[in-house]
Amino acid sequence: MTREIKFRAWDNDKKKMGLVRAMDWAESQIISAHVEFDIGMGGTLKKVYPEKQVGDDIEFMQFTGLTDKSGKEICEGDIVNFSIVSNGMNGEQIDSGKIGIIINSEYELAFVIGDKDSDYFGSDLILLGDAYRADSE
């Protein structure tokens, strides 16, 4: 099974989200990123971020390989609504309406929901937004 590897990027100065079209690497470091931004009415703006701007001016979010119920791609930094299903003494119990943020857990070597009380990734995820645009709107 293969998973598509792709990224999106948040420009801290412009307060805009863009799609990463290419990244240049050297010795495990990103040395430049080519990002495309939607500027409305079908237009796009393409920008190349050199090494000195990567990390300061722009932040990357990796696609998790998952989509929500409506087919929207889920990336790290996304805020999702989800349910936890557990089997208790009274049978299956569903705790719905939980909200969490997708993080890349180095400990678990996986993308997880940042709510420490849960470890459930099911097909009932609903993408609500992302942690970046919530602050800028």
Side-chain angles (χ1 to χ4, degrees):
M1 183 170 124
T2 61
R3 179 173 69 85
E4 189 173 11
I5 305 295
K6 57 184 170 179
F7 294 84
R8 67 177 186 214
W10 176 253
D11 185 306
N12 288 313
D13 293 330
K14 292 182 176 53
K15 304 292 186 219
K16 290 226 174 251
M17 191 71 73
L19 298 175
V20 176
R21 296 300 183 193
M23 288 177 152
D24 299 313
W25 296 79
E27 298 178 17
S28 302
Q29 297 293 319
I30 300 169
I31 57 171
S32 71
H34 305 257
V35 183
E36 185 174 287
F37 297 94
D38 180 4
I39 57 172
M41 298 199 291
T44 58
L45 170 68
K46 296 176 182 168
K47 182 170 180 182
V48 177
Y49 293 85
E51 183 176 12
K52 66 180 180 176
Q53 289 180 308
V54 171
D56 292 333
D57 295 348
I58 194 160
E59 297 182 47
F60 299 103
M61 289 138 278
Q62 188 174 359
F63 172 52
T64 63
L66 300 173
T67 57
D68 77 351
K69 288 172 106 172
S70 63
K72 294 177 189 166
E73 294 179 346
I74 297 174
C75 294
E76 57 184 319
D78 281 344
I79 300 166
V80 294
N81 181 303
F82 64 103
S83 300
I84 297 174
V85 179
S86 60
N87 292 314
M89 294 185 64
N90 298 330
E92 186 175 89
Q93 297 175 338
I94 299 174
D95 181 7
S96 60
K98 298 200 67 75
I99 294 176
I101 188 165
I102 304 296
I103 60 172
N104 188 351
S105 170
E106 292 180 23
Y107 174 73
E108 296 183 42
L109 300 176
F111 292 101
V112 298
I113 298 173
D115 179 338
K116 297 299 181 197
D117 295 332
S118 67
D119 58 0
Y120 178 73
F121 246 177
S123 59
D124 64 342
L125 292 172
I126 300 170
L127 181 61
L128 300 176
D130 62 70
Y132 297 90
R133 286 179 276 207
D135 291 338
S136 66
E137 294 178 339

